[in-house]
Amino acid sequence: MNPLLLLILIPALTMAGIMLAGDVKQARVISAVGMSAQLLFSFVLLYWFYQLRQSGNTDEMVFVSTTVWYPSLNIQLKFGIDGISMSMIMLTSIVTFAGVFVSWQVEYLTKEFFISLILLATGVFGFFISLDLFTMFLFYEVAVIPMYLLIGIWGSGPKEYSAMKLTLMLMGGSALLLVGLLGIYFNSAANGGPLTFDLMQIAKNGLPREAQMFFFPFTFIGFGILGALFPFHTWSPDGHASAPTAVSMLHAGVLMKLGGYGCFRVAMYLMPEAAHAMAWFFIILTTVSVVYGAFGAIWQKDLKYINAYSSVSHCGLVLFALLMMNETATTGALLQMISHGLMTALFFALIGMIYGRTHTRMIDEMGGLMKVIPFVSVLYVFAGLASLGLPGLSGFVAEMTIFVGSFQNVDTFHRVATIVACSSIVITAVYILRVVGILLLGPVRNNHYLELKDAMWFEKLGGVTLLVSIMIIGIAPLWLSNLLREPLAAMLNQLTN
Amino acid sequence: MNLSSEIPLQYMLVLSTLVFFIGLVSIIIRRNLITMLMGIELMLNAVNINFVAFNHYLFPNRLEGHFFTMIIIAIAAAEAAVAIALIINIYRKVGTVSVDDIEELKY
Amino acid sequence: MTWNTLFIMRHEVLLTLLIMYELLADLSDETNRTRMVNVTIAGFFLYMLAGFVPSENAALFGGMYVNDELRVLLKNILSVSTFIVLLQSSGWAKSPIHQGRAGAFYLTLLSTLMGMFFMISAGDFLMLYLGLELATLPLALLASFDKEFRRSAEAGAKLLMSSAVSSAVLLFGLSLMYGIYGTLQMEDIAQMNLNSDIHTIAIIFFISGLGFKLSLVPFHLWTADVYEGSPLPVTTYFSVVSKGAALFTLMLVLYRVFRYQPEEWRMPLYTLSVLTMVVGNLFALRQKNMKRFLAFSSITQAGFMLLGFMNFGRIGMTTIVYFMLIYGLSNLAVFGVLSIIVRATGKESMDDLNGFYSTNPRLGLVMLLSLFSLAGIPPVAGFFGKFFLFTAAASAGMYILVFIAVLNATISLYYYLLVVKAMFINKNETPIPSIQSTFYEKLAIGICLTGILAIGFVSQLYEYIQGLM
Amino acid sequence: MDFSFTILILALPLFSFALLGLTSKSLKADLAGYAGTTSLLVITVLSYLAAWRYFGGGDAEAGFGTTIAMNYLWLNFTDTLQIHIGILLDSLSIMMLVVITTVSLMVHIYSLGYMKGEKGFQRYYAFLSLFTFSMLGLVVATNIFQMYIFWELVGVSSYLLIGFYYERPSAVAASKKAFIVTRFADLGFLIGILMLSFSTGTFDFDALTSPTGPVISQPAGSLFMGLSVTTWAMLFIFMGGAGKSAMFPLHIWLPDAMEGPTPVSALIHAATMVVAGVYLVARLFPIYAMSAPEALDVISYIGSFTSLFAAVIACTQLDIKRVLAYSTLSQIGYMMVALGVSGYGGEAGLGYMASLFHLFTHAFFKALLFLGAGSVIHAVHSNMMTDMGGLRKYMPVTHVTFLIACLTIAGLPPLSGFFSKDEILVAAFEHNKIIFAVQWLVAGITAFYMFRLYFNIFWNRTPEYHHAPHESPVTMTLPLSFLAVASVFAGFVPFHELVTSDGKAFETSFHVLVALPSIAVALVGIGLAYIMYFKQNERPTKLAASISGIYTAAFHKFYIDEIYIFITKGIIFQFISRPVAWFDRHIVDGTMNLIGNTTVAASVVIRRLQSGKVQLYIWFFASGVLLLTLYMLLQ
């Protein structure tokens, strides 16, 4: 059996286990055990991956297994990973692991909560290991739909509205996507061979130029909506603001990465000519995203809104870099995905912890938390520093790779765009420090807060896991960068020819 | 008697079409359910004319059209029976057989 | 006529026996409702199984009656659906207000099924018309079966009036066709492959007549009123079996008889599809009554079904049948839950569902899955059904239509989620109390749920259907 | 020669930071202090060892070479653009190592006394270690990107230390301001790096600054607004340097940064971090000198203006730390001027040498000034000059060392400040007479405000102290004394043999024509200060009143802060951010909501179709059929 299937099997078993669990406590423990196993397994997978590579395996994809599913439509269950998917799998299992621990205290409908959460994660895992557009799309939707329940049931604030908006906008995105995918499918045989959903096969065969020009926008925007592409990002602030902690973590940390990943692996990789022809338009959009998100974040007062806008900015940077279409920038985009995933998950985890204690997310109602809950606060500062791109934390590595990569495009348009995007690092600093200054530092404004308890063990575990991952990437980025870069040469060949 | 030499097929068709639409219009504008039922009969009879005319003029050697007409007549009778039953039901519940009064279900 | 002939017609012959039983039982045994229900369900179960026994393809009665493997499958889909309807209606049929009328109910219901089988097996338009009327007229009676309710009476009257007009229109179309071809034998017509303006008119009239049964916009206006006024089992039957029969018939006629003139029916169906999806969705958005809500939802789904017709080949037919199967099971599951609620509480408003999950988690979950299936969300079967339908449309290059359809699917997700929201999210002081469901009801839901969960993953089913085309 | 031990210079403070940071409060305060100090002592010794080996092993005449002690690949962007983390040793970085470790050690020792009993003592030492690590990493960077990395780290340590008293809103605001202003400057630095590295294809200093290397010898390339790409790149890079070194107009963060603990001000905001800009320019000096002379002119003008501007403001400030802060600005301006007027190689590189020489001496005497001020503040519990006076009696050691420092900065021979400043003036004199005149004037002003400070603290009237001020403990006076000695003798280090633009020694000569006027103007300054501030009198007030316009403007730091607040709060917040937020909520999101609402509204509008009247249904049916037929027939 393909070891990759374990990535789906373990969560599936966990969900079954939770369903059978007797009480809340058991459900909790089962989820924790399941997701720890998943994390462990992804490390094992990483090890195997390296072993394979070291033994001289230079295939584009490894652990490939193909089973024909719907022979008449040529739909296959085709799984396989390369360095990029491997890293995304690592990211997902880390964030899910942390997410489970952070939601330790969910009281209302606990079993259902964990099942939905893990279902979401399953969708994401499935998406990353799929090499067939059909299963990819299937898992994509599996990942999106539990969001509705997770936000609607366990959320806060105008949760029904936000949940509905998020779901509908994302599904609207997948509507575009579906058209794009079908278009790809029916043009996949243009240069001979049978119609196919097989990613690698399509890439090899190539699509006719007119088809690319027509379907690229569908696919790119379809995925882009999930990647918070301006102006289709507005589900993100509302959605995040209403979502429960772990959901925000998973959503911003992982789910939004599906967007970027899809944009690259499907839209750009399969339709390189169209990508080249239309890049300028999307570069403008993403540049706007980057700056606009950052400026938007400055004015917000709700912690989650701040982070949501910041995500718009950072995810905009991902798409921005992808569109630069060179090896360095793309590596940077992928690094940024992972980096942003970890750090925004950490942010949301911490916001959840703060909210759980103070029952408000308005920064001007709080202050001086550093004194009362130092552990949480210090983690928050770290997350903030990672976000503003401090060396030694992951954000710096990603952003610098992006900027250096983007700057390799010599024409004025790209350079100006790059410089504009660069300026986001200053704006980011402004809003991060503003939050840190108001929220954590200064005198304690509310005497009730003096009684607050610092992070519990499970919160610490979740937070520290994320922070350590951020630091590992920040301090020793070379391995990850190489892991991500390894498949790029071949893929970009496709893009540039 | 050879009708075909005297009255062209087109006349028949025009007639049936007219009858058909008269039936339709009477269904749409008449308020009484029973009258509407009569409109339906008109429409069915228009079809009957068609069938018979086609059969006679174009395919005189086969009887499909005639058969069909018979069956339509039979079914029309059944339909009328059912319709009357339902109209009585309506009358019991509503007190009238005016179509304007059966509009509780809407929007 | 040999035994073999009878066996080929086993769907109709055995059904006749069952109808005879109902007739006799209705005449003699008026007191024991429960026994009647049990015997009917058991009998229908055996009948349903018999339908699955393979038989050879044949054309009987000089080509009036045709049976082949595909038609057997279509009939089996309908009979399984009817079986589920019977299971779900058991509680309703047993209720005291139907004292002495259960037999009549089964009698009329099974008669309409008979009519539908004839529609499917028709080798001649005469047969088709007969079947259609047999399937329609008793339905009007069924719609007003709850004669003590004014709404039910109204539903029956409305249905009858409009369906009479629709069948008249269809007949007019048939008469024109007769004038063109000189025959109503389907195979002969298919061979001739004629083209003229009159022919176009005939086809459109025909489509309109069947489109009425299929509830395509603008022929759909009866749907919501009748669905709402009818007793719940009848509504279920309307939305799945009757609709299925109409769809199958339309498909068989268009693909088999008019297979050489596809352009004549594709454009009308394109238009109707767009109209149906959009209008159905817009109406469904603000419905509060569950039956009415499901009526508009089923209208929208009919719009989706038309997408399959864009492909003239095997993919088109396969996806239509496949989608109908999935839609049927999903809708039956929704109605199953709803019928349990209605049986226990008599409530059928969406607001009454508030907080449903807290008291009835299992039923809530079933409802969730089946609604997701209707909305086309993976991993339940609806996703596959929709995806393949879209594939069929896209294979004909109709990307704009696909796009409209997917957007509509998104809108439909909105109102399905409204139900989910009511059950899972909204709070309620006095939610529907915990309901104990009977064995029949559980069985019905079990069948549906198995289908919903498994069909997508068992690709053999799809391949099997495709093999029949 | 083996320099592999230098890795410890980086590793130890990092380790110390990690240790103190992780153990935090579980470690006893004293222990934490000693641990930090000990590690720094070791580093200092290692740095001296490195200096001894380097300068001892090389030949001044032939020039000191460049040694790469280690170089690990950290991240590769492309095959040529790679970030290494390594240690580059040349005369410049060795000199910086010595300065940094020395001052840092003094500050570590001093803080043992100064910060005693403060809450977060462990944290303080952790941050100090972090800063030391970052600063050392910066100066030994082998490539410009490594430098950028540590540059940012230095920025954040500065942020953390300025905001050390995080419960004090002013400290929080100051730290934020410092970070954001320098961050803004770093944006320029980053863009500069991008431009430079893409016109040259490398990050490595070796390749970049080699006069025969491809970078400098290549033609200037295309012009943009009259300047070559390299010039633009170097200007952008200088923007980073100007931010860190608080050059006008990016200087505003530095005075505020005095909210941090005084030893921190001494270490970061006087001796080490703020001169990173000077170091940066010096590090890339060959490019500036040979490929971007226009950029060098800009540097000299900005430096010169800043030094005058800051000196004027310093004359009016009452907070003693702020006076010192402006003095720092002014002195860094000197260093920049020196670099700006310098050429490359041999005698022409006098300015370069002078600049670094001044950096070297300034580190000692400015640290001394700050630590002395800290000692005073420690005793008086106030920063304000008005709360002080007559302290010479209470604090003899502080007094004497402070006086030495004042004399040094005033540039009186034979103290070290005289030598370094003199070299700068000579260089300026040879290059640009106007700049020379300005710098000469500033020298006088410097003497004036330093002695204004000195007299106000130690002489003048004695206010009523709540507690009698007392001399600081030995942990504080020891560093003071050491630094005083260093300030006196640092001028005798033969810089022109050790740290020169091309690594080769050259001869300097004594310029009487420059030295005498500068001594004179310093004396005049001191004299003026003596007249006005030695004893309490009315003259300062009168003078201030007579030039009230300039005085008020200078007192308010020429309203630069207000301009900044207007730009940030008024323009960025109100006119960009707020509209963006509004736009997002109401236009972008509004559109999405509008789509939803329109759909629902449409749903309500068309509900009349379903009128409940069966005849209308039939009518729709019929017209539907007919329309469809018509459509098909007309097609």
Side-chain angles (χ1 to χ4, degrees), chain D residues 54-55 60 64 91-92 493-500 503-505:
Chain D
Y54 180 83
F55 289 120
F64 297 103
S91 51
L92 180 58
V493 176
F495 248 67
H496 55 92
E497 290 178 3
L498 302 178
V499 186
T500 56
K504 299 192 182 76

Side-chain angles (χ1 to χ4, degrees), chain D residues 233-243 247 281 288 298-299 302 336:
Chain D
M234 297 322 284
L235 277 174
F236 272 117
I237 289 179
F238 173 67
M239 181 177 161
M247 288 293 101
V281 176
Y288 276 110
V298 172
I299 292 175
I302 289 181
M336 288 293 184

Side-chain angles (χ1 to χ4, degrees), chain B residues 21 24 27-31 36 99 102-103 105-107, chain D residues 607-608 610-619 622 626:
Chain B
F21 281 99
L24 185 62
I27 294 173
I28 292 174
I29 61 171
R30 299 307 294 244
R31 293 290 181 247
M36 288 170 70
V99 74
I102 52 166
E103 52 164 11
L105 296 163
K106 59 185 168 188
Y107 299 138
Chain D
R607 70 178 191 157
R608 291 174 169 280
Q610 194 81 32
S611 56
K613 296 190 191 295
V614 70
Q615 288 177 314
L616 274 178
Y617 294 180
I618 295 169
W619 192 82
L626 295 179

Side-chain angles (χ1 to χ4, degrees), chain B residues 14-42:
Chain B
V14 169
L15 171 71
S16 76
T17 312
L18 278 177
V19 172
F20 188 82
F21 281 99
I22 290 169
L24 185 62
V25 169
S26 73
I27 294 173
I28 292 174
I29 61 171
R30 299 307 294 244
R31 293 290 181 247
N32 190 303
L33 280 169
I34 306 281
T35 327
M36 288 170 70
L37 205 56
M38 291 161 69
I40 289 170
E41 295 298 330
L42 278 183

